[in-house]
Amino acid sequence: DGGSYDVINDASSPAAGDCCAQQSSARHNWEMNYQEAAIYLQEGENNDKFFTHPKNAKALAAYLFAHNHLFYLMELSTALLLLLLSLCEAPAVPMLRLGIFVHATLELFALVVVVFELCMKMRWLGFQTFIRHKRTMVKTCVLFVQFIEAIVVLVRQTSHVRITRALRCIFLVDCRYCGAVRRNLRQIFQSLPPFIDILLLLLFFMVIFAILGFYLFSPNHSDPYFNTLESSLVNLFVLLTTSNFPDVMMPSYARNPWSCVFFIVYLSIELYFIMNLLLAVVFDTFNDIEKRKFKSLLLHKRTAIQHAYRLLITKQRPSGISFKHFEGLLRFYKPRMCARERYLTFKALNQSNTPLVSLKDFYNFYEVVGLKWKAKRNREHWFDDLPRTAFLIFKGINILVKSRVFQYTMYTVVAVNGIWILVETFMLQGGNFFSRNVPWSYIVFLTIYGVELLLKTTGLGPVEYLSSGWNLFDFSVTLFAFLGLMALAFNMEPFYFIVVLRPLQLLRLFKLKKRYRNVLDTMFELFPRMASLGLTLLIFYYCFAIVGMEFFAGVVYPNCCNTSTVADSYRWVNHTVGNKTVVEEGYYYLNNFDNILNSFVTLFELTVVNDWYIIMEGVTSQTTHWSRLYFMIFYIVTMVVMTIIVAFILDAFVFRMNYTRKNQDSEEDNGIVLEKEISKEEVVGIIELYKRISGASETAQLQKIVLQMDKYGQMSTVFLGRRSRTKSDLSMKMYEEEIQEWYEEHSRKEETQTTLQEPASASNSSLKPLSLRQRSQTVI
Amino acid sequence: DGGSYDVINDASSPAAGDCCAQQSSARHNWEMNYQEAAIYLQEGENNDKFFTHPKNAKALAAYLFAHNHLFYLMELSTALLLLLLSLCEAPAVPMLRLGIFVHATLELFALVVVVFELCMKMRWLGFQTFIRHKRTMVKTCVLFVQFIEAIVVLVRQTSHVRITRALRCIFLVDCRYCGAVRRNLRQIFQSLPPFIDILLLLLFFMVIFAILGFYLFSPNHSDPYFNTLESSLVNLFVLLTTSNFPDVMMPSYARNPWSCVFFIVYLSIELYFIMNLLLAVVFDTFNDIEKRKFKSLLLHKRTAIQHAYRLLITKQRPSGISFKHFEGLLRFYKPRMCARERYLTFKALNQSNTPLVSLKDFYNFYEVVGLKWKAKRNREHWFDDLPRTAFLIFKGINILVKSRVFQYTMYTVVAVNGIWILVETFMLQGGNFFSRNVPWSYIVFLTIYGVELLLKTTGLGPVEYLSSGWNLFDFSVTLFAFLGLMALAFNMEPFYFIVVLRPLQLLRLFKLKKRYRNVLDTMFELFPRMASLGLTLLIFYYCFAIVGMEFFAGVVYPNCCNTSTVADSYRWVNHTVGNKTVVEEGYYYLNNFDNILNSFVTLFELTVVNDWYIIMEGVTSQTTHWSRLYFMIFYIVTMVVMTIIVAFILDAFVFRMNYTRKNQDSEEDNGIVLEKEISKEEVVGIIELYKRISGASETAQLQKIVLQMDKYGQMSTVFLGRRSRTKSDLSMKMYEEEIQEWYEEHSRKEETQTTLQEPASASNSSLKPLSLRQRSQTVI
């Protein structure tokens, strides 16, 4: 049935020539075009550069092999396996210790898998591109080193100092799923130059003050902080973190009260001025980079769409893409999409009511393809079809649960519950927490919450009830409370922790105020980005943990540092006073690098900064002075990452608040919604088309729609497409005016570089490309 | 000679009717108009509301009495005296202790002066307005309380608990010179509502985690941090400041390693998320308030200018102000200005080349009146008039000092000097710092700097040399070094501190990079604002210091807190090991509230936050649990102020960086410059005019200009007006587009409120009002 396709003319689809020039059948040719267009669109979405685009059939096969979730999962699990190995390698977590032979073999296995992955990548990219791709080259080098080391370990049957293990995180960073982490790292490195400038200023003042401090305070022999220039420098560095603050001042202050001026001036300049300057500079650079990144991603997507478009038009109909070809594209781009959704996506893109989607319409592809489509219900409530009496009852419940009185009553109950818990907890001072008999207050409040849940579910219908995030939260909290009650009633000790989570119910109070709702909404929007930033921090932690373990494993233990200035914190004495044994315990020996989990906790403590010098001095007293470098570098690295995190949170919230201020009328919208109407004839037409192409397998859902329409006697059905709002949508709105300029500039640049062989109307990119936003409606 | 004035028509100057309706002589009438216009302009500049404008001749006299620097100084010194009294009142600084009779009498005296000031103010404002003016009413009440208390003290001859002394700072805040502090306080209070919202969120999570922590950790009896709900709450509050971090975790961590999750989650939510959110919210609110403040100030100034304008036009010439009237205004507005400057200001305002300044031109008044005028020199260098040989020599030096090679050589010398100082300091480990013989390196470097100074002064001329801030810095540093050398050479011990300041020379290196220059420039621009913020913080300190002294004076002393958890920090033992006396000293007893200076240092330590809980626990163990409230409230207050300071620094730098990015071409300008040419005839005309008005006294300078012109045979002289750029100028540029909208909105509002009785052209505020910026030229 290939005859039903338009004959492909190579001139109309020049890009397709790259990987399927040898194909002759038109049908097959079109399939290849669909696939390549889908690949272009994927590259646009993932911000893959086009020079990695597969250039021939062999490369295409490798590309397809390396671009599916199975392969990605393999990549990820190999990387995780390599990282997790450090739990088992000496110094290992006691419970997870493995023999050298076992973990070295596991490592070799993982590395072989990585080699296989790299081979697939080389096959896809070709040797030339492979060599030019920097990240891949770094990965190859690291792989090589790791391979040799793993073999050495196997041969010698003993671990040597392997700080190169810190480089293992490169395998994780290179994973497809860790794209966000890569972007974060890039952004951190881009923010570095101005950061380093200000850091130098900071260190410069530190050196000046160290010299001054040495001159001023070293004559005082009871002052251990400034007796040499080195200790003066170290203590002022620690003072930068305020971690030794009043202590470092005390000996000189005891001697001469005016010496506090030195410290006040130092802290005012360094901590309160230059540190904030650092934040300002990073914040500014960050903002700038975010905008540039958004711009380049936007233009990259646009180019991807242009490439895909050129592969889907025909010479006969050069002004747009027909549904047949669009459907073919979606079969490769989103195989899981059903026929109904494909048609609705096509309808949503097509704004001109012609049977073709023009380039201008096609530019909205990414915004539209993510929508989830649902038939708009004709019924307002789920109980509209019920008998009159039942309807009235449910209607009454519906009005009740939607009323303000009901809401505020519930808030009051939660508040009372909160106070109750507080008072209850205050009353039991170290008694038996989990009495056998369940407290009656618990049952009363739980009953109220249960009734509320029941009323809301019946009044709103389960689907509408659970579609709100807040209700979902209420539901799960009540469920947890119920489970806690069960645990108490049936005396299941391991589940007592659920009872402890009771105070979390108070979180429901935060629905009350708009600012909190905004904060929480923004928090949810930020969550993916925050998670990736957290992961980035963890990667830094991993590197430092490995280095720390290699150098400092086992150096601190109880009573290790009796000669140092921080001896007290490491002391562990067991002495008898009267007839009682008193244990005097300075717990700091627990903050060690004895295995990777301990190292992570120690590094977190270093991140929090308070009293970090105790850990540093403890380790230093057992090793050399140079150990301080490790701790100081770690401080600076976390300072960078933390400043970026602060800048990110600042930026996100300020951005959001500006956005809210700009759009005060449409504040309450919680997503992007699109409405499309489909007539019965259209559905029947689509069914016919599908029957011709691929048999009846895909038309079942469409036929159901026809049946539904027949049942209710409708001539058309309205569908709602919905997706949550992303940062990108907000940016679109914020940079509205600038985006036009970018497009114009971009298309000017393109016109001078390559002459597009498509109709003039298609390359006319000065038309408003994002009309989706205009059509989006506010739904509360 | 009143006949030379235009006859005043009341319709053309309606505002003047308020305070001089009873006057009949035209001459006197005009004088009153000048004065009132000057008052309006002052009110516009100082952001005084117009309802406090003096309404009759008696009020005017009081106004004039209360608005001059003598009165302001009296206000300030009374307020300072009252504040400084707390140095002498019990608990006093030992050296400054005064008898009760003495300090109470001093206080009464100061309060009487304040009463006098308030009486003057009442006379000026009238009783009605006085009652309505909130700040003045608060001041009156505080004054009343203070008065009674001072008398009680005098009668009883002993001090009672006088926490109301904390309110004394109101007298300082109300001073004319402390306007910036008042603005800061207003801004802080305006930022409070969103701040409190997020603070509640913070405290809410704290309570939830306190309950959880109590349930989880109180079964562990070796954990002193969570044994009661109260200590759980207190310790989590302290953990919010990270001040007790690893310690609070250690007992539970020693028991179960997974308990660290509780602390990591708590810190991630509270410290890293909500605290940053707090900053974001304050930053955003701050930005918004800054903009609104700028807007209202701008419009207020505009209204003031309109009021003044209406007082200066006549019915005969309603389209503008003649020089005669303008000169009359300036005589009241800026009495110190000389005749030449007055004429140049008039010329600078007048853009239409008519003899009158229109309202549109007059709007630029505030921008122009601050310019300092100087005749533009015809000579390029100071040595242009010297004989040929001398000229060539100086020209050579000029070229040399301006060359890059010379600059970089000097940077190298400074860097070498820096390294030298570092190495030298590193070498002398606790030896004799100030040897009798001056080190030769000192002399060598000083000689080089001296030669540089000499070359630059001769090459550029002393005036040009000292007009650059950096050169001034170089000069003073070299001078200091020279003084240090003298001190060493002549063995003057008290001046050795100058030698210690040597490393500050290294600051010269920061000229090198543009970013540092920008930072330093911004720093100087910010300095006044920073100082006022610092003063605001000091006012809070004062209040807390008084309260602290009243409650906690003398409660901590060596070995005071042996029963508390922080006993070690207050211990002072003197025990003998072998034949040596070892003093074990925990210095924290020095952080007390025993007098106001000690209190300030203690409060600074609380501001830095590290280990603040030791101070809190020490005081608490000697008093009651409720003392913690004082420390917690102080923490929250400083958190607000510090967050505002951070937001301010962030805002200022981000603003500046955006500005630089927007104006990349004119980055290097360091002020606002205006050029005006004056012909000989004009000067002669002005001299004639002045002779007619006020005799020859003011024309001396003008006649000198004429002589100068005659000498060089010029027909005209060019004058340069110059002033430094302020934040307001930057804001003007940044909000360029919005300002137009504000003006239009403002004039629309005014037109509906009052119908101005002036020509239509004058009230046409849609014309570009700030054309000064267009004319300003870039001067490097």
Side-chain angles (χ1 to χ4, degrees), chain B residues 132-283:
Chain B
R132 275 192 298 147
H133 199 248
K134 254 186 269 166
R135 180 155 42 92
T136 313
M137 276 322 290
V138 172
K139 191 175 167 182
T140 314
C141 295
V142 171
L143 180 68
F144 187 68
V145 173
Q146 301 281 316
F147 222 99
I148 290 174
E149 285 205 313
I151 290 170
V152 168
V153 168
L154 258 183
V155 171
R156 291 180 63 221
Q157 289 288 319
T158 170
S159 264
H160 51 281
V161 179
R162 285 186 64 188
I163 42 171
T164 51
R165 285 193 293 157
L167 298 175
R168 277 177 187 168
C169 26
I170 286 174
F171 300 126
L172 184 68
V173 170
D174 192 55
C175 280
R176 164 69 52 171
Y177 291 140
C178 292
V181 175
R182 278 199 301 280
R183 272 196 292 282
N184 285 333
L185 286 172
R186 204 175 307 130
Q187 215 156 341
I188 287 175
F189 286 118
Q190 282 169 341
S191 305
L192 272 188
F195 186 90
I196 287 174
D197 281 347
I198 308 291
L199 191 70
L200 284 180
L201 195 68
L202 195 79
L203 295 179
F204 176 80
F205 275 101
M206 202 185 85
V207 171
I208 284 189
F209 273 87
I211 296 175
L212 284 182
F214 173 68
Y215 274 117
L216 290 173
F217 304 129
S218 65
N220 177 1
H221 292 294
S222 66
D223 188 339
Y225 298 104
F226 291 94
N227 49 9
T228 65
L229 188 62
E230 189 201 338
S231 74
S232 176
L233 273 169
V234 169
N235 283 304
L236 285 186
F237 188 90
V238 176
L239 184 53
L240 210 65
T241 68
T242 76
S243 197
N244 58 356
F245 176 53
D247 306 279
V248 73
M249 180 174 91
M250 281 300 148
S252 46
Y253 184 57
R255 217 178 196 202
N256 177 0
W258 292 108
S259 63
C260 67
V261 173
F262 174 85
F263 296 95
I264 292 175
V265 170
Y266 179 76
L267 283 174
S268 307
I269 292 180
E270 293 279 75
L271 187 68
Y272 294 122
F273 187 74
I274 302 183
M275 285 291 225
N276 288 334
L277 191 57
L278 214 60
L279 181 62
V281 168
V282 172
F283 179 66

Side-chain angles (χ1 to χ4, degrees), chain B residues 556-563 567-574 584 586 589 622:
Chain B
V556 291
Y557 43 82
N559 297 318
C560 64
C561 316
N562 283 335
T563 55
D568 282 345
S569 306
Y570 290 89
R571 189 159 293 145
W572 192 88
V573 226
N574 213 340
E584 204 179 280
Y589 63 87
Q622 293 296 98

Side-chain angles (χ1 to χ4, degrees), chain A residues 197 201 204 212 218 242-243 249-250 273 284 433 500 506 510 513 515-516 523 591 605 610 661, chain B residues 197 201 204 212 218 242-243 249-250 273 284 428 433 500 510 513 515-516 523 591 605 610 661:
Chain A
D197 280 347
L201 194 68
F204 175 79
L212 282 182
S218 64
T242 75
S243 197
M249 179 174 94
M250 282 301 148
F273 187 74
D284 185 65
F433 292 153
V500 164
L506 299 183
F510 284 101
K513 199 154 184 185
R515 192 189 304 277
Y516 295 130
M523 225 178 81
N591 303 324
E605 286 166 16
N610 191 62
R661 211 173 290 143
Chain B
D197 281 347
L201 195 68
F204 176 80
L212 284 182
S218 65
T242 76
S243 197
M249 180 174 91
M250 281 300 148
F273 187 74
D284 185 64
L428 51 95
F433 293 151
V500 164
F510 284 100
K513 199 153 183 185
R515 193 188 303 279
Y516 294 129
M523 226 176 81
N591 303 323
E605 285 167 16
N610 192 61
R661 210 173 291 142

